[in-house]
Amino acid sequence: MAAFLRSKCPSVGRTLMGGLGNSLFGAANSSVEAVTRSSHCDAISQQIRTFIQMRTNLKVVDNSGAKRVMCIQSLRGKKGARLGDTIIGSVKEAQPRGKVKKGDVVYGVVVRAAMKKGRSDGSEVQFDDNAIVLVNNKGELIGTRVFGPVPHELRKKKHLKILALAEHIV
Amino acid sequence: MRLEKCWFCSSTIYPGHGIQFVRNDAKIFRFCRSKCHKNFKMKRNPRKVKWTKAYRQLHGKDMTKDTTFEFERKRNRPERYDRNLTEQTLKAIPLITKIRHDRLEKHISNRQKPGKRKEMEKDSKELDQDIGMLPKKLISNELAAEKTKVKVKVVQQQTEDNAMEE
């Protein structure tokens, strides 16, 4: 992977590649790959979809008041969070009168991920965007409504409240 | 377990194959392989892509109305399990597929018939008109071959007679 990247993007400095820690390496990975790929293929739809990691922007799909959250930490997985995992994020954009304001540090459950998730029957699911639902540190929902489709992977993760409020379960 | 149809090419998706893409309006697109998935991401319309079933049916290349399609219609009501029914269905499936396949082949050959007839007419016309275009050596060789054929026959008969006589 590193060799591939080095051949594809000579502009990225050696020190930058060497000095990055494990968690940041992934972020640089995906963003650099996206840039090189989009310049090669000239189509945003050909992006490689990867994990949800530090600095990933996610859409908030409940009515807690936040609109965009930036992931600061994934609570599961070395490479990052996937569909159904919990993350810690910082609210970047919020509605003026909501339960959370800009700059708050919140927990969230990933309900839609652009990276495909394998299911036990052999099929793979992939969504259009990265979306989360805000949760407190005990796992209880902050908002009272959830918008958009939601996967049934959440049942296994015991996020039954989200499933109950969901408009559409995939 | 349910056998789905690929959104792009309309082929069946067997378990363990393909990707489901869920759009934010909760519409699910199923693809049988990455070829179809990539074409979808390129925003190609399957009705314009020549190798898809959608194109073929739209342009009359494949048959569209047939009673065998009725068997495959999606029924959302689950049937109570009945062993006899299941057995009969499983026996009927290959029969129906065969019949559908045969009808499809017939449809395609019927479609191609006028073209084939035209080809034959054209070829026979060309033979009549342009036989002189063939090199003289070839034509004369043919005639010579016919003549030699006849010769050989007679010779054989004579030797046979000689043998008989002796």
Side-chain angles (χ1 to χ4, degrees), chain A residues 116 124-126, chain B residues 17-21 29-32 37:
Chain A
K116 49 183 176 271
E124 295 191 319
V125 209
Q126 169 177 7
Chain B
H17 288 259
I19 294 181
Q20 292 183 32
F21 170 67
F29 297 90
R30 292 172 212 274
F31 305 107
C32 59
H37 191 32

Side-chain angles (χ1 to χ4, degrees), chain B:
Chain B
M1 184 193 82
R2 181 166 240 174
L3 295 179
E4 306 282 355
K5 291 276 177 201
C6 174
W7 183 85
F8 199 81
C9 63
S10 316
S11 62
T12 37
I13 306 177
Y14 285 89
H17 288 259
I19 294 181
Q20 292 183 32
F21 170 67
V22 185
R23 210 163 54 179
N24 280 348
D25 59 358
K27 184 157 162 67
I28 303 175
F29 297 90
R30 292 172 212 274
F31 305 107
C32 59
R33 56 198 196 279
S34 65
K35 176 179 182 181
C36 303
H37 191 32
K38 284 180 182 155
N39 270 302
F40 172 78
K41 285 198 273 193
M42 271 194 258
K43 301 195 179 174
R44 285 198 181 155
N45 187 353
R47 284 154 171 259
K48 290 190 164 184
V49 178
K50 297 247 167 89
W51 52 269
T52 58
K53 196 83 177 169
Y55 175 95
R56 302 207 91 218
Q57 292 198 326
L58 187 70
H59 289 77
K61 312 281 186 190
D62 281 350
M63 67 180 181
T64 41
K65 290 192 200 108
D66 197 39
T67 43
T68 46
F69 292 141
E70 299 292 309
F71 292 108
E72 269 196 56
R73 232 167 357 127
K74 188 176 184 186
R75 281 158 255 264
N76 281 319
R77 208 148 39 111
E79 296 268 336
R80 189 178 288 270
Y81 175 72
D82 179 23
R83 198 198 168 102
N84 286 330
L85 183 66
T86 314
E87 267 187 47
Q88 282 170 8
T89 314
L90 286 172
K91 276 193 200 142
I93 289 173
L95 275 175
I96 295 171
T97 341
K98 185 172 182 308
I99 292 172
R100 188 179 64 232
H101 186 69
D102 289 341
R103 286 189 192 173
L104 181 66
E105 294 214 306
K106 197 123 196 269
H107 178 268
I108 293 173
S109 71
N110 279 343
R111 183 168 58 85
Q112 292 177 332
K113 255 192 212 159
K116 284 206 176 122
R117 198 180 304 133
K118 260 193 186 169
E119 283 274 327
M120 282 282 281
E121 285 173 13
K122 194 173 115 182
D123 287 343
S124 68
K125 198 170 170 191
E126 192 182 357
L127 202 65
D128 291 337
Q129 283 184 341
D130 298 337
I131 193 88
M133 299 256 299
L134 281 176
K136 288 221 175 90
K137 237 201 280 185
L138 267 182
I139 303 173
S140 58
N141 269 354
E142 277 181 18
L143 292 172
E146 280 184 22
K147 281 187 193 162
T148 48
K149 262 194 206 166
V150 171
K151 263 192 192 166
V152 167
K153 255 193 194 172
V154 169
V155 166
Q156 273 189 350
Q157 277 181 355
Q158 279 181 349
T159 49
E160 269 179 61
D161 287 343
N162 287 341
M164 290 261 289
E165 281 176 359
E166 282 175 353

Side-chain angles (χ1 to χ4, degrees), chain A residues 152-169:
Chain A
H152 58 70
E153 265 82 359
L154 298 176
R155 183 159 289 140
K156 198 157 172 236
K157 308 265 181 180
K158 310 281 190 238
H159 295 121
L160 304 167
K161 196 85 200 305
I162 305 177
L163 285 170
L165 293 171
E167 286 176 350
H168 199 272
I169 302 180

Side-chain angles (χ1 to χ4, degrees), chain A residues 1 4 22 26 31 34-35 40 42 49 52 86 89 94 107 137 167:
Chain A
M1 188 59 135
F4 166 76
N22 219 358
S31 60
V35 165
H40 282 212
D42 211 354
R49 311 290 179 170
I52 292 170
T86 330
Y107 285 71
N137 56 358
E167 286 176 350

